[in-house]
Amino acid sequence: MKINLKSLLNPQIDRRGFLKSSALFSGAAAVTAGLTLPFKTTKVQASTLAESADKEKVVWSACTVNCGSRCPLKMHVENGEIKWVDTDNSGDDNYGEHQVRACLRGRSMRRRVYNPDRLKYPMKRIGKRGEGKFKRISWDEAFTDIAADITRIKKEYGNEAIYLNYGTGTLGGTVTKSWPPGGSLLARLMNLSGGYLNHYGDYSSAQIAAGLSHTYGGWANNNSPSDLENSKLIVQFGNNPAETRMSGGGVIHHFMEGKAKSNARLIVVDPRYTDTAGGREDQWIPIRPGTDTAFIAAMAHVMITENLVDQPFLDKYCVGYDEKTLPKSAPAKSDYKSYILGSGEDAVEKTPEWASKITGIPADIIIKAAREIGSTKPCAVIQGWGIQRTANGEIASRAVAMLSLLTGNVGINGGGSGAREGGSSIPFVRFPTLQNPVEASIPMFLWTDAIVRGPEMTAVKDGIRGKDKLDVPIKFIWNYAGNCIINQHSDINRTHDILQDEKACEMIVVIDNHMTSSAKYADIILPDLTTSEQSDFCMDASAGNMPYFIFASQVIKPQFEAKSIYDICTGLAEKLGVKEAFTEGRDQEGWLRHLYQLTRAQDPSLPEFEAMRKQGIYKRKVKDHFVAYQDFRNNPKANPLSTPSGKIEIYSEKLAELAETWDLAEDEVIHPLPVYAPTFEGWEDSKQGNYPLQLTGFHYKSRTHSTYGNVSLLQDAAPQEMWINPMDAQGRGINNGDLIRIFNDRGELHIAAKVTPRILPGVVALGEGAWYAPDGQKIDHGGCINVLTTQRPSPLAKGNPQHTNLVDVQLVNKV
């Protein structure tokens, strides 16, 4: 369907070109490629608003979805209804004090609030899980049934059988936050009721968090994107903020401003020519998925043999680059330099010619890139989370960091650590969730396994933490503001079969705004309020040189019978006998005032509560860019890292220990060094079986994961398509726009083809987050990539390898 631009530019015209009574966007809104709008919004004076108050009121709200930004929205309300949505118009728009303009997703908030899929009242399942058949029930009946099931399951199995599933639908909120689940109000409720089975890691960054923690200790920071104004070269590995973090407060704005100031060269390494490249790049290096470590090893070979490494930095700050800094426990020749030069255990020299066969990158390009990175300083190496979301993503994340380490760019302006971008924030006191009495924790990706084989799961095989093994399977699931029950979890057909067995997981409670794919698998559904129907403080997640937070006020009255998560938990707390302990005598407004008072006690410069409500957004310009590990670089003895050695660990004794003690499959690799290891369902396997194409996913600009996936206007602007190179398409008789079947032994989906040279031959790509829409024959017509992804976890983090898949593609009419 074609988009009528008039309907987007004029809030009084619909997409057919007809007048309408209410509007979606401000008159300044326009379709873009997914970036923040390239013009200034019109300032609205307070006096103008006062003059029209009898006709219209304007209320500050926010978009709090999981895109890495929090964006302010100005909701224009008439007679209790949102008529159109504007965005930030405060400040003079000088960089560092700029307007935080929401992207087109946030500006479509009105279509989320009034969406046909909106959940209206509590419901109880009457069909099979997944059928979407429910009956309406009262709130009291819902609370009574849920409390009874919690009490029964606690008595029969213990609190370890109750699980808070992963959800990120409301991110950055204070009362409403869904991530991490351990920081949500449900966690507070369950902690007052005996606890719950916890999880660690997340779908976005489990592998990089685990991998780089063994390099830098703890969560690995990087310089803020605003610091790119000091860089001479920027190297992006699988990082695409133009689509993932595309608002005025997001990384892409700071990236563009910083790069414009420095005029730094940009190298983009990605199998797909992304919108972040989009004419900004000086070089695009398309690479086969899962082979980044081989590419980096070959560049390291060039740097070492041509004396382009920063030896003094490696000697002073790092462990295990060469033999003289190896730990005493390490075998001889187990250092990184020996591995690269072929004198290590595998006796393979990691030359550009060796890597070229693996990566598909010509040797001369590898050599040129290595020389440029090795001779240009400061150089900012940044990795997105795409390359670590693979079968050996932990190793890949450590490998990217090697480029920063070999060149000594860590801890300096314009350089970086090789991790994802960092940033500054304004400290804010968050809602207390109390201590979880249950010690056991599972990797978040293995919750379906914990249903079917919970007591078989152990620490050394499945990464169980807090105890050696689980005692009971998962019997009760809380799913708040998340679509991971089915849509965002891997191997949907397997998950469907597991959830169909009501004797396995006995109760699933979904709290959400819409009838998502996951909500259809609930036993009881509780309708949640949107951000527009309640008040909350919302924090920015990835600011560069201007951190901020938003007071999102209640814009309209709650729709239908929906309740806030605070009121839902309060009602359940009363049934469970912990209401007083849960509320501490406060309602939601009372908690907001209390938490803000505590925050202002730490920072008296913040506005008063009512002034903040009126102001809507608070911005703070940061004088100095955030530079990761700067204190360590300046004085490593006074500021040691939290690694066992206190230094940057290229060779990790802890990883060597895990490699020896954990129960791993033959093709699973945990290694003390960032070595290249072929992945299951990787490029090597594509030459041997029935599925010759590597399928990778990407975050799509029409959605934030699955949020906004049911907004028809955004679907029309950026339809779900599978990217395929003309060479691969021609051999299959596929033309642009053809309906194709993408399939492997896990499932099949039908979707339109996007034939484009912007994807490497042998690789196809599909935007993640599209809503699962099966036809009853296990064929998905919504384009949900997780019909095809595997539930086999990565070796170290036990994370999701959702970009490691082999598939084939055919025309639908070709069987």
Side-chain angles (χ1 to χ4, degrees), residues 181-185 187-189 191-192 430-436:
S184 69
L185 294 188
R188 179 179 174 89
L189 174 68
N191 288 339
L192 290 168
R430 309 309 287 264
F431 209 108
T433 55
L434 311 177
Q435 182 68 35
N436 185 355

Side-chain angles (χ1 to χ4, degrees), residues 106-285:
R107 296 192 192 201
S108 71
M109 181 63 74
R110 176 179 172 274
R111 291 181 180 259
R112 286 201 69 229
V113 175
Y114 301 122
N115 196 282
D117 293 325
R118 187 71 194 272
L119 296 170
K120 299 177 175 65
Y121 33 74
M123 294 189 293
K124 191 172 186 176
R125 179 174 59 84
I126 56 175
K128 292 183 178 180
R129 286 177 181 161
E131 286 186 336
K133 295 180 180 179
F134 298 90
K135 68 175 183 179
R136 181 176 181 175
I137 59 175
S138 69
W139 276 103
D140 185 69
E141 183 179 354
F143 289 156
T144 300
D145 286 357
I146 293 170
D149 260 48
I150 290 175
T151 301
R152 176 184 60 81
I153 287 172
K154 285 169 55 177
K155 183 177 180 180
E156 292 183 20
Y157 303 101
N159 283 72
E160 191 180 290
I162 299 172
Y163 183 63
L164 270 62
N165 201 33
Y166 182 80
T168 63
T170 61
L171 209 66
T174 300
V175 175
T176 59
K177 68 184 295 186
S178 63
W179 186 87
S184 69
L185 294 188
L186 284 172
R188 179 179 174 89
L189 174 68
M190 291 311 306
N191 288 339
L192 290 168
S193 304
Y196 60 93
L197 176 64
N198 205 349
H199 72 238
Y200 65 89
D202 57 60
Y203 282 74
S204 293
S205 59
Q207 287 95 311
I208 190 173
L212 285 186
S213 68
H214 291 283
T215 301
Y216 291 108
W219 178 260
N221 288 311
N222 204 346
N223 294 19
S224 64
S226 58
D227 184 53
L228 293 175
E229 69 175 60
N230 297 306
S231 303
K232 292 183 179 179
L233 176 65
I234 305 167
V235 185
Q236 296 264 27
F237 278 84
N239 196 25
N240 185 23
E243 292 181 83
T244 60
R245 296 181 172 184
M246 60 193 190
S247 74
V251 168
I252 188 59
H253 183 70
H254 297 279
F255 174 87
M256 291 168 60
E257 292 282 356
K259 184 179 182 302
K261 289 187 176 184
S262 65
N263 198 30
R265 280 178 50 82
L266 173 61
I267 298 174
V268 173
V269 184
D270 201 301
R272 193 173 65 96
Y273 186 78
T274 66
D275 283 10
T276 299
R280 301 179 186 90
E281 91 293 349
D282 294 280
Q283 185 178 16
W284 171 42
I285 302 179

Side-chain angles (χ1 to χ4, degrees), residues 506-523:
E506 299 176 11
M507 172 62 81
I508 300 174
V509 179
V510 168
I511 305 171
D512 216 317
N513 303 134
H514 302 105
M515 182 59 79
T516 64
S517 304
S518 291
K520 293 179 180 179
Y521 285 79
D523 296 302

Side-chain angles (χ1 to χ4, degrees), residues 47 151 200 277 374 406 452 552 596 620 683 737 753 812:
S47 59
T151 301
Y200 65 89
L406 290 169
V452 296
Y596 193 64
R620 178 174 290 170
W683 175 75
V812 164

